[in-house]
Amino acid sequence: HLGSVSSYTFTNVRENHSIYVTFALNEFTIVATAGAGGTISPSGSVPVQLGNDITFTIIPSTGYLIDTVWVDGVALSEVNHQGYIYTFSGVDADHTISAAFARQSYLVCAVHSAGGELEIVGGSSVGQDSVRVLYGDSLVFNLLPELGYVVDDILLDGVSVGADYPYILRNIAASHMVRVSFTPLSFSIAATAYGNGSLAPLSVTDVPYLDTATFILSPSHCVRVDSIKLDGGHLPVSDTLKLTRLNGN
């Protein structure tokens, strides 16, 4: 066996000889690589015979998109970022193909009612009420009620998630809408009259923050108001009681 040679010479021939030659198609190598966030198949150093076709399939992982595909060092201009197939046709030389992936991004919008402010921590701002955030990241929503207001409800895509804050949206894997509603503080007052006389009204509900509630004390004939107590503490005696600047029940 003489190996792969292009010629052979018989010298000083004195007898019959035979020579047997086999031929094989030239073989080339295509090196296929993929970065983090996806796969290319087949991968590695892939042998291809002269004139054959070979197809490579590029698939991003969950939460990723194909960012760039290079063939022989040149970036392709038209690539389906959700998945891509590339074919080398009639291979007659060595080649390379490589793919890079990027985390998918999502738009999160947040709006709020009157009575407070909303601050978003995280992501990249794309407007007054919106941020763009990468797959798997989280956002923090700081809620800032104005004086006399409280957080009434937080809705994520139309579904209540309660009123606790700061609200944290974790492991984001889709676009979302966050709506925050603020409501004015209001208070209730229960009143009780003892002895010969009446008090009106006996209860007051939904009194706005820092507003006033008025009570009329009407003692019976020949009876006077003896004492007035508010939450256990004594108030000056009067036929009319005004509770001003309410900030509690």
Side-chain angles (χ1 to χ4, degrees):
H1 190 276
L2 300 176
S4 178
V5 295
S6 60
S7 64
Y8 181 78
T9 301
F10 290 94
T11 60
N12 195 23
V13 175
R14 295 174 179 268
E15 58 185 13
N16 294 328
H17 293 280
S18 65
I19 185 169
Y20 180 75
V21 179
T22 59
F23 297 89
L25 290 173
N26 284 339
E27 189 174 83
F28 301 98
T29 300
I30 298 178
V31 178
T33 57
T39 61
I40 185 169
S41 179
S43 64
S45 296
V46 182
V48 185
Q49 288 187 335
L50 174 68
N52 283 359
D53 300 342
I54 186 168
T55 297
F56 292 85
T57 301
I58 301 170
I59 301 175
S61 302
T62 301
Y64 285 79
L65 295 172
I66 298 173
D67 184 44
T68 308
V69 176
W70 293 274
V71 173
D72 296 332
V74 178
L76 302 183
S77 58
E78 296 183 3
V79 173
N80 183 342
H81 298 286
Q82 304 291 336
Y84 188 65
I85 294 175
Y86 184 84
T87 299
F88 290 95
S89 300
V91 174
D92 60 1
D94 293 334
H95 294 284
T96 61
I97 182 170
S98 59
F101 305 89
R103 276 198 293 169
Q104 195 164 352
S105 66
Y106 304 98
L107 188 67
V108 177
C109 300
V111 295
H112 62 85
S113 68
E117 296 294 333
L118 185 153
E119 177 188 59
I120 305 175
V121 179
S124 301
S125 176
V126 292
Q128 183 177 357
D129 301 318
S130 302
V131 297
R132 188 161 290 281
V133 60
L134 295 178
Y135 171 82
D137 283 355
S138 301
L139 291 175
V140 177
F141 298 84
N142 290 324
L143 309 183
L144 309 169
E146 295 175 0
L147 187 63
Y149 285 81
V150 294
V151 176
D152 181 50
D153 199 9
I154 303 170
L155 300 178
L156 175 64
D157 301 328
V159 179
S160 175
V161 293
D164 294 334
Y165 62 93
Y167 173 63
I168 303 177
L169 183 58
R170 305 179 189 276
N171 297 321
I172 294 171
S175 295
H176 292 288
M177 168 64 78
V178 175
R179 295 182 182 273
V180 178
S181 58
F182 298 96
T183 188
L185 280 168
S186 62
F187 307 102
S188 299
I189 302 172
T192 305
Y194 298 96
N196 298 316
S198 61
L199 175 64
L202 289 179
S203 66
V204 178
T205 59
D206 298 327
V207 181
Y209 178 75
L210 296 183
D211 208 345
T212 298
T214 301
F215 296 85
I216 304 300
L217 290 72
S218 302
S220 300
H221 183 63
C222 296
V223 176
R224 63 180 176 80
V225 177
D226 180 56
S227 65
I228 301 173
K229 291 184 179 181
L230 177 64
D231 297 333
H234 286 274
L235 296 178
V237 173
S238 171
D239 290 341
T240 301
L241 172 62
K242 287 188 175 183
L243 302 179
T244 61
R245 299 182 63 79
L246 285 169
N247 60 7
N249 293 316

